[in-house]
Amino acid sequence: MTEIPLETELLFNPFEPGFTDDPYPTYRRMRETDPVHEHPFGLWILTGYEEVAQVLRSDLSVDVGRVTSGAFREQSDELASSGLDVLTLSMLDRDPPDHTRLRSLVAKVFTPRKVSALEPEVTELVDAALDEIAEAGRADLVPALAFPLPFTVISRMLGMPPTDSERVRELSGLLVRSLEPVNGPEMLASIAEAGVEMTAIIRELIAWKRKRPANDLLSSLIMAEHEGSRLTDDELVAQVTLLYVAGHETTVNLIANGVVALLRAPEQLAMLRERPDLADNAVEEFLRYDSPVQQTRRVTTRPYTVRDREIPPGTFVVAALASANRDENYWGPDADRLRIDRDNARAHVSFSVGRHHCLGSALARLEGRVAIERLVRRFPGLAPDGEVEWNGRINLRGPERLPISV
């Protein structure tokens, strides 16, 4: 891996103690001093709203294979050599025309009508979890609600047979660390091992489903065609792994981050109780205030100019979504405050924008709204019951433990 001299003072140092608990002071400092930042790791970091929105709407690549050098290219090569190259076939990592074909096959299942039809099932799952919390009087909200809800929903949508959900969670938690800007050798080895095990699980599930087709997402993907073309076996593994992991990991953070934000802003919690009509907008504000995915990437395919600075071709560019969502130049002086009645909350970039806009955004919004609204309404005495423990991730940042009493 690329090494940085010990005496180098980094403007962006995600390994600094406390960063993953609260990265926002660092992002503020970057916006104020160097919003188009060239990092010694060989990447560039954009932190302002306009700059992030611009690069997300651009035609730049998402394929890390186009990166010419630097820490992330080294990391990518190490993972690929470990047999994880199959996962780079997901639509998250492909440019047109592959991206267009893959997305069109999956998008047929994530229509607004089909997602909306899931609300009764989501409500039933939330209420069952809340019943258990009520009986106990307290809970760790992550394993009690934030994780099992989206995991169960995506598993049912895919038509998965019963699996070891605890093991799948461990594996997906490791896999998403491949999205971190930098990982050490031990973590890279753990990610590789998790990827091999996860892809083996997915291949078994696909083989099982081929023998038992049904009216579900996995069967649809197996049979789906686009202009006469079907997914190859490896493409199928990559898309299912992406949906299985992204289909719950990000929503865990949306629910948990949203509840933490409300508990730390009692006046907003009271407002949501008094005005349930704000529930949809509140979810948008949760997404803005503490984004479940803090960063995304682009790779320059040509010289790319931002704020009169030219980024050379083949460069890994980090678009800091979480920072853009707190940019005072766009959101105003109260950008660091949670305001569930914020008029333009939906202008956040947490789901990206442009052709890589999150396909599962409607499902995440539905799950987040139902879970948080019903939790708040059910428990007037909702309160913290200990310290929040964060998961230590730079990118898919959220609570590992969120103790509450009701």
Side-chain angles (χ1 to χ4, degrees):
M1 300 296 293
T2 302
E3 294 186 3
I4 305 299
L6 293 176
E7 66 273 10
T8 301
E9 184 176 347
L10 299 177
L11 181 59
F12 177 74
N13 181 7
F15 307 108
E16 189 176 13
F19 176 86
T20 53
D21 285 5
D22 183 9
Y24 295 102
T26 295
Y27 288 138
R28 175 194 281 269
R29 188 165 64 250
M30 294 180 72
R31 290 193 304 272
E32 291 173 348
T33 61
D34 193 9
V36 182
H37 176 61
E38 183 178 6
H39 196 277
F41 276 158
L43 48 83
W44 289 62
I45 306 170
L46 310 181
T47 50
Y49 183 91
E50 295 297 341
E51 292 75 26
V52 167
Q54 173 189 322
V55 80
L56 294 179
R57 292 190 177 96
S58 73
D59 61 354
L60 298 187
S61 178
V62 294
D63 183 357
V64 294
R66 292 174 175 265
V67 178
T68 54
S69 62
F72 205 92
R73 179 56 191 257
E74 295 170 24
Q75 174 174 303
S76 176
D77 289 345
E78 285 187 47
L79 290 174
S81 66
S82 302
L84 291 190
D85 49 328
V86 63
L87 297 184
T88 65
L89 298 176
S90 83
M91 57 186 166
L92 185 70
D93 301 296
R94 308 311 297 166
D95 297 324
D98 284 343
H99 173 265
T100 308
R101 176 175 61 89
L102 295 170
R103 188 179 176 98
S104 70
L105 291 170
V106 180
K108 297 171 183 175
V109 188
F110 284 91
T111 64
R113 181 179 61 83
K114 289 185 177 180
V115 170
S116 180
L118 292 170
E119 182 158 355
E121 183 176 358
V122 171
T123 301
E124 182 181 341
L125 289 168
V126 169
D127 286 347
L130 298 184
D131 287 344
E132 293 189 12
I133 293 173
E135 185 175 348
R138 56 176 37 86
D140 177 351
L141 197 70
V142 176
L145 175 64
F147 169 72
L149 172 65
F151 181 82
T152 301
V153 171
I154 196 63
S155 296
R156 290 183 181 179
M157 286 182 72
L158 282 163
M160 296 295 199
T163 56
D164 182 350
S165 61
E166 193 59 39
R167 183 56 182 159
V168 169
R169 181 162 195 221
E170 290 172 4
L171 294 173
S172 64
L174 284 167
L175 276 179
V176 296
R177 286 191 177 269
S178 66
L179 301 174
E180 301 285 81
V182 180
N183 285 293
E186 290 184 8
M187 179 55 68
L188 285 174
S190 297
I191 293 168
E193 290 173 8
V196 170
E197 185 175 345
M198 180 68 94
T199 53
I201 290 171
I202 298 299
R203 287 188 192 279
E204 288 181 12
L205 293 172
I206 291 169
W208 184 90
K209 181 58 66 176
R210 286 189 192 279
K211 298 175 183 176
R212 301 167 183 82
N215 184 26
D216 54 47
L217 173 53
L218 185 47
S219 298
S220 298
L221 288 175
I222 290 170
M223 299 302 296
E225 289 190 12
H226 175 70
E227 298 179 354
S229 172
R230 287 190 178 180
L231 293 171
T232 67
D233 285 349
D234 282 350
E235 286 177 336
L236 189 56
V237 169
Q239 307 329 304
V240 173
T241 305
L242 172 65
L243 292 169
Y244 207 20
V245 174
H248 70 270
E249 282 285 345
T250 52
T251 308
V252 174
N253 291 349
L254 166 57
I255 295 170
N257 290 357
V259 172
V260 170
L262 285 174
L263 291 174
R264 291 177 173 178
E267 78 289 351
Q268 298 297 304
L269 177 59
M271 183 187 295
L272 185 56
R273 276 205 187 94
E274 294 163 8
R275 293 194 53 192
D277 59 297
L278 285 174
D280 283 322
N281 199 71
V283 169
E284 305 302 329
E285 178 68 349
F286 299 145
L287 287 161
R288 181 202 73 84
Y289 181 75
D290 202 356
S291 179
V293 180
Q294 299 260 305
Q295 305 170 351
T296 191
R297 68 166 186 268
R298 292 294 184 269
V299 179
T300 54
T301 53
R302 50 182 165 74
Y304 183 75
T305 302
V306 191
R307 282 201 176 197
D308 298 326
R309 298 195 67 185
E310 185 176 284
I311 304 175
T315 301
F316 189 91
V317 179
V318 173
L321 308 176
S323 176
N325 286 337
R326 296 274 193 111
D327 186 353
E328 301 85 350
N329 290 325
Y330 183 85
W331 302 98
D334 65 351
D336 278 330
R337 278 189 54 220
L338 181 76
R339 272 188 42 215
I340 65 169
D341 59 347
R342 189 180 297 272
D343 290 339
N344 62 342
R346 200 179 175 95
H348 64 77
V349 292
S350 295
F351 289 130
S352 189
V353 294
R355 66 188 179 211
H356 287 282
H357 180 267
C358 176
L359 199 58
S361 59
L363 179 59
R365 285 181 166 110
L366 169 65
E367 292 170 334
R369 172 176 58 80
V370 174
I372 296 176
E373 179 187 21
R374 296 186 81 79
L375 174 75
V376 166
R377 190 195 313 170
R378 175 80 175 265
F379 301 125
L382 178 66
D385 193 37
E387 291 297 317
V388 177
E389 294 178 12
W390 297 91
N391 61 18
R393 298 179 197 162
I394 301 164
N395 197 352
L396 269 71
R397 172 185 168 275
E400 184 73 27
R401 184 171 177 272
L402 173 50
I404 59 164
S405 64
V406 297

